[in-house]
Amino acid sequence: MTVSETAGAASFSKLGFAKGQVIQEFGYDDDVDDDLRFGLEDVIGTELEDEDFNDGADGVLLWYRDGDDDLVDLMVDGLTKLFDQGFIVLLTPKAGRPGHVDAAVVEEAASTAGLTTGGQVNVAREWAATRLMPPKGPRR
């Protein structure tokens, strides 16, 4: 499968990714879509940073499946890494796939974490992406 079959530059742009951004990845496991990851790295022009990265990030890529750690806690952890105007893209398995997360669960977790959702985008055969935005204004 090629990147164009998973997520093209237009999908990444719609989610807020752009050349030169620092993107930190959480929730990497053996079920992630590597074509999607490599396509994103092509768009931003560098490799994704792992969970141990300690500098600020322009965005966070968060892979999440039903049964993983608490979603609110993971969202808040992602928020602490973001520069102002940063964003989180939550990747969850699509409906009918193992680990699927109901949209209502995502909405509730986002609201509890102080985030708003920007709609879901199909980015890969097995994964859907939801853009999460913190409230406007500087964060601590």
Side-chain angles (χ1 to χ4, degrees), residues 3 7-23 35-48 87:
V3 171
S11 294
F12 290 126
S13 176
K14 185 174 184 176
L15 290 167
F17 296 110
K19 185 108 179 131
Q21 289 178 326
V22 174
I23 305 298
D35 288 332
L36 186 146
R37 293 177 73 249
F38 298 144
L40 177 54
E41 288 175 343
D42 287 345
V43 168
I44 63 173
T46 188
E47 291 184 6
L48 299 171
F87 60 94

Side-chain angles (χ1 to χ4, degrees), residues 10-132:
S11 294
F12 290 126
S13 176
K14 185 174 184 176
L15 290 167
F17 296 110
K19 185 108 179 131
Q21 289 178 326
V22 174
I23 305 298
Q24 187 171 13
E25 180 179 42
F26 290 87
Y28 178 88
D29 206 340
D30 60 359
D31 64 343
V32 302
D33 188 306
D34 283 326
D35 288 332
L36 186 146
R37 293 177 73 249
F38 298 144
L40 177 54
E41 288 175 343
D42 287 345
V43 168
I44 63 173
T46 188
E47 291 184 6
L48 299 171
E49 299 293 345
D50 66 18
E51 294 180 14
D52 297 326
F53 181 69
N54 288 320
D55 291 336
D58 299 299
V60 166
L61 188 68
L62 175 59
W63 301 89
Y64 184 80
R65 308 127 191 101
D66 184 42
D68 284 354
D69 293 334
D70 185 73
L71 183 54
V72 174
D73 289 345
L74 293 172
M75 289 178 177
V76 171
D77 288 347
L79 274 171
T80 64
K81 302 294 184 163
L82 293 177
F83 292 132
D84 287 343
Q85 307 305 315
F87 60 94
I88 296 173
V89 171
L90 174 68
L91 293 160
T92 56
K94 290 182 178 179
R97 276 41 172 224
H100 171 71
V101 180
D102 190 79
V105 171
V106 172
E107 286 286 338
E108 182 178 340
S111 177
T112 301
L115 298 162
T116 57
T117 59
Q120 195 173 73
V121 176
N122 290 324
V123 293
R125 197 178 92 209
E126 300 289 324
W127 295 88
T130 304
R131 183 177 161 99
L132 306 171

